[in-house]
């Protein structure tokens, strides 16, 4: 089928058409090489292949359609932004482009070179005119997680209105009070932006939509415990990545269908790996589309990734919002508590995270952990020490990796990962 020409829409959104074309070509080729070359993929992945092929096309068209109906689109960069409040008023929450090196030259005009790749990427996407999601957004919501992000949002605000939520750095009662206040203030911001009131009824619905999506992802995660693995780590990562920008109702249905298929595979013992394939947990910084570098190296070196201890993975799907609340106040409490459980390395102390990693190692019968930090990401790079120590004390093999979005270190990383996998097997 002839692909629709979205260039008029991209032009209207103010994208840099020439460079955007180049980006789509690079992405299309990378997807073909990394994803379509995998063998024995579940049929349900065809939906995800379609979504990714239309990520800058049909999905953006859908966003523009919903905007025409008076609904708002809100762009985010962090799993701390409570999407329940956005869904409550018929809004759409989308994760913004932050996983590719393109636009870095533009980003480095306003940011120091030694800024983490994720931050440089979102700034580059905006400044180079390459992210249709930010262009389609009515508001960007940032957060005071790491220093790099919070200072970058001040600059981003010069180009796109950026509302910043204050995230506490600790988890005492006082911090919970601060965070609850932030959620209420954000609720008011959403109400002001949309001209719609958040009520107990619509918030209940928003909570349900977000929870249903998480439940589907939890189902997928649980199915990855099977030996042999019914799905590759690359495919499972893609599902978690697409969760940030697809329509939540359609996505939830598609992932539940995929899980039905995986359940059948598990029952029949059908897998994408052979017996004895090392099972790897990847832990650390989030991997936004199209950051597939590390799992791709791992899975083309004879191992399988069985879980991601990351915001694009377990950290954002593990906890649900308690649905028992009846009043608005009770629901805000439930949202506050759910988000306070996120164990991002921006918190201190962050003892929950090593404990969660140990649980994952046990539950998923993990043979080794690869700790991944985006280069210049201080929170995760520093916290890697504690993670490594905890794992070593239990005799669990661990490899620490620090890298950016570039491809220059692929050979070196492959050598290190292959040596690690040999050790894990031995
Ligand atoms: S809750 S992990 S999504 S902040 S990689 S920009 S931390 S220097 S992305 Fe994150 Fe929210 Fe935490 Fe999750 Fe800074 Fe590190 Fe860069 Fe990072």
């Amino acid at each position: 089928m002839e692909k629709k020409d979205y260039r008029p829409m991209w032009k209207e959104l103010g994208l840099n058409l020439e460079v955007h074309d180049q980006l789509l070509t690079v992405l299309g080729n990378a997807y073909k090489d990394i994803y379509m070359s995998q063998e024995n993929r579940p049929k349900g992945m065809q939906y995800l292949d379609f979504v990714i092929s239309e990520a800058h096309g049909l999905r953006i068209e859908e966003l523009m359609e919903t905007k025409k109906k008076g609904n708002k689109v809100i762009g985010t960069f962090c799993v701390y932004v409570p999407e329940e409040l956005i869904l409550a008023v018929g809004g759409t929450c989308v994760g913004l482009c932050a996983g590719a090196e393109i636009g870095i030259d533009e980003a480095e005009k306003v940011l120091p070179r030694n800024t983490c790749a994720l931050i440089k990427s979102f700034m580059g996407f905006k400044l180079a005119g390459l992210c249709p999601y930010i262009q389609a957004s009515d508001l960007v919501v940032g957060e005071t997680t790491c220093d790099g992000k919070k200072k970058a949002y001040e600059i981003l605000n010069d180009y796109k209105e950026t509302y910043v939520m204050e995230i506490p750095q600790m988890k005492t009662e006082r911090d919970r009070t601060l965070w609850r206040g932030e959620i209420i203030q954000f609720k008011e911001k959403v109400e002001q932006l949309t001209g719609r009131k958040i009520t107990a009824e619509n918030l209940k619905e928003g909570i349900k939509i977000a929870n249903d999506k998480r439940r589907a992802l939890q189902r997928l995660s649980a199915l990855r415990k099977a030996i042999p693995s019914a799905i590759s780590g690359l495919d499972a990562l893609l599902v978690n990545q697409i969760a940030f920008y697809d329509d939540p109702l359609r996505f939830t249905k598609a992932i539940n269908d995929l899980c039905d298929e995986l359940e059948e595979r598990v029952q029949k013992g059908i897998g994408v790996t052979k017996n004895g394939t090392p099972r790897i947990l990847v832990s650390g910084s989030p991997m936004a589309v199209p950051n597939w570098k590390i799992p791709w190296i791992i899975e083309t070196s004879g191992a399988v990734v069985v879980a991601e201890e990351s915001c694009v993975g377990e950290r954002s799907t593990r906890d649900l919002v308690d649905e028992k609340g009846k009043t608005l106040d009770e629901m805000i409490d439930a949202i506050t508590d759910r988000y306070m459980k996120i164990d991002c390395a921006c918190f201190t102390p962050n003892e929950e995270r090593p404990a969660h990693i140990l649980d994952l190692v046990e539950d998923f019968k993990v043979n080794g952990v690869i700790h991944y930090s985006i280069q210049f990401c201080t929170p995760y790079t520093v916290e890697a020490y504690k993670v490594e120590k905890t794992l070593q004390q239990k005799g669990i093999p661990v490899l620490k990796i620090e890298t950016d979005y570039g491809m220059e270190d692929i050979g070196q990383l492959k050598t290190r990962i292959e040596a690690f996998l040999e050790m894990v097997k031995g």
Side-chain angles (χ1 to χ4, degrees):
M1 205 171 69
E2 185 81 354
K3 260 206 135 185
K4 187 169 173 184
D5 182 12
Y6 293 110
R7 290 171 68 93
M9 175 177 75
W10 294 332
K11 196 166 172 213
E12 204 181 310
L13 283 169
L15 295 187
N16 179 335
L17 292 186
E18 203 179 311
V19 188
H20 185 250
D21 280 352
Q22 290 166 16
L23 170 71
L24 292 191
T25 306
V26 172
L27 281 183
N29 289 340
Y31 193 77
K32 215 160 83 208
D33 292 348
I34 295 173
Y35 274 89
M36 302 315 277
S37 62
Q38 298 180 99
E39 283 172 15
N40 199 14
R41 294 174 81 210
K43 285 205 180 54
M45 286 308 296
Q46 283 170 7
Y47 172 75
L48 287 300
D49 293 339
F50 176 72
V51 174
I52 202 113
S53 72
E54 289 291 341
H56 283 211
L58 190 60
R59 185 64 186 131
I60 302 301
E61 208 173 58
E62 288 177 348
L63 296 182
M64 301 315 284
E65 282 303 312
T66 189
K67 277 159 71 86
K68 273 192 210 144
K69 292 180 194 146
N71 301 316
K72 300 291 178 194
V73 174
I74 297 185
T76 62
F77 292 110
C78 176
V79 297
Y80 264 99
V81 180
E83 88 171 286
E84 291 82 356
L85 298 168
I86 301 167
L87 293 166
V89 287
T92 306
C93 180
V94 287
L96 299 173
C97 304
E101 213 181 16
I102 199 149
I104 283 293
D105 291 347
E106 290 299 312
E108 286 181 355
K109 286 182 191 160
V110 298
L111 292 170
R113 290 197 67 194
N114 58 354
T115 303
C116 104
L118 190 145
I119 299 173
K120 274 202 274 193
S121 176
F122 76 64
M123 193 65 83
F125 266 103
K126 173 61 195 151
L127 298 187
L130 297 172
C131 175
Y133 289 90
I134 199 164
Q135 300 305 104
S137 296
D138 296 287
L139 180 72
V140 170
V141 183
E143 47 0 274
T144 60
T145 43
C146 65
D147 287 351
K149 263 181 167 178
K150 74 184 171 219
K151 297 311 287 179
Y153 293 138
E154 293 174 17
I155 301 170
L156 187 65
N157 189 49
D158 291 343
Y159 301 90
K160 183 88 188 176
E161 185 190 350
T162 305
Y163 174 90
V164 176
M165 295 187 79
E166 184 174 353
I167 311 287
Q169 305 286 287
M170 297 176 101
K171 289 191 176 168
T172 64
E173 224 9 71
R174 199 181 51 202
D175 297 301
R176 185 192 178 279
T177 306
L178 179 147
W179 179 232
R180 194 181 190 283
E182 277 300 304
I183 292 176
I184 290 173
Q185 203 167 298
F186 180 56
K187 169 184 161 290
E188 286 158 9
K189 178 73 189 173
V190 171
E191 288 176 330
Q192 178 231 324
L193 178 77
T194 60
R196 296 173 186 167
K197 260 290 185 253
I198 295 179
T199 63
E201 288 69 41
N202 63 25
L203 187 53
K204 190 176 166 52
E205 189 53 26
I207 291 173
K208 177 147 182 356
I209 297 172
N211 271 352
D212 282 348
K213 179 165 75 168
R214 293 181 191 122
R215 276 188 273 263
L217 292 166
Q218 286 176 354
R219 217 181 134 200
L220 171 67
S221 168
L223 284 160
R224 294 171 74 192
K225 291 179 186 168
I227 301 177
S229 298
I231 184 167
S232 69
L234 274 166
D235 277 338
L237 172 64
L238 185 72
V239 172
N240 279 292
Q241 289 174 328
I242 287 179
F244 287 92
Y245 63 86
D246 195 12
D247 172 77
L249 297 177
R250 184 179 55 207
F251 174 82
T252 301
K253 158 103 184 48
I255 301 317
N256 277 317
D257 290 347
L258 171 69
C259 289
D260 291 343
E261 183 189 350
L262 295 182
E263 253 163 31
E264 228 183 286
R265 281 189 165 213
V266 171
Q267 270 164 17
K268 292 182 181 156
I270 301 172
V272 290
T273 54
K274 293 193 218 82
N275 281 344
T277 302
R279 299 168 63 80
I280 301 299
L281 169 70
V282 174
S283 167
S285 304
M287 292 176 185
V289 179
N291 181 8
W292 303 307
K293 182 162 120 175
I294 298 298
W296 175 66
I297 298 176
I298 296 171
E299 295 202 328
T300 52
S301 304
V304 61
V305 177
V306 291
E308 297 77 26
E309 190 279 319
S310 137
C311 284
V312 184
E314 294 292 323
R315 198 173 302 123
S316 72
T317 57
R318 184 175 48 224
D319 302 305
L320 301 178
V321 174
D322 188 335
E323 290 178 32
K324 286 194 292 292
K326 294 215 172 0
T327 64
L328 199 53
D329 254 5
E330 285 169 350
M331 290 178 199
I332 298 282
D333 272 331
I335 292 174
T336 306
D337 290 335
R338 187 262 165 197
Y339 283 83
M340 280 303 278
K341 286 189 198 144
I342 299 172
D343 54 353
C344 173
C346 294
F347 278 86
T348 184
N350 194 28
E351 304 299 346
E352 303 98 301
R353 187 169 164 240
H356 278 140
I357 295 173
L358 287 180
D359 288 346
L360 288 170
V361 168
E362 202 181 311
D363 290 352
F364 288 77
K365 300 179 191 69
V366 164
N367 303 111
V369 176
I370 296 191
H371 190 281
Y372 160 74
S373 319
I374 298 181
Q375 193 180 31
F376 305 124
C377 165
T378 307
Y380 283 90
T381 313
V382 173
E383 199 161 276
Y385 169 78
K386 279 214 159 190
V387 171
E388 183 183 42
K389 203 165 130 200
T390 307
L391 290 166
Q392 280 174 344
Q393 277 164 357
K394 299 274 178 189
I396 300 156
V398 52
L399 172 70
K400 288 192 299 183
I401 278 176
E402 208 184 320
T403 182
D404 58 14
Y405 293 168
M407 293 299 150
E408 297 77 20
D409 59 352
I410 289 257
Q412 191 205 42
L413 286 172
K414 195 159 171 58
T415 307
R416 288 184 62 205
I417 288 174
E418 281 174 351
F420 178 68
L421 294 177
E422 272 310 309
M423 191 213 22
V424 164
K425 270 195 240 165

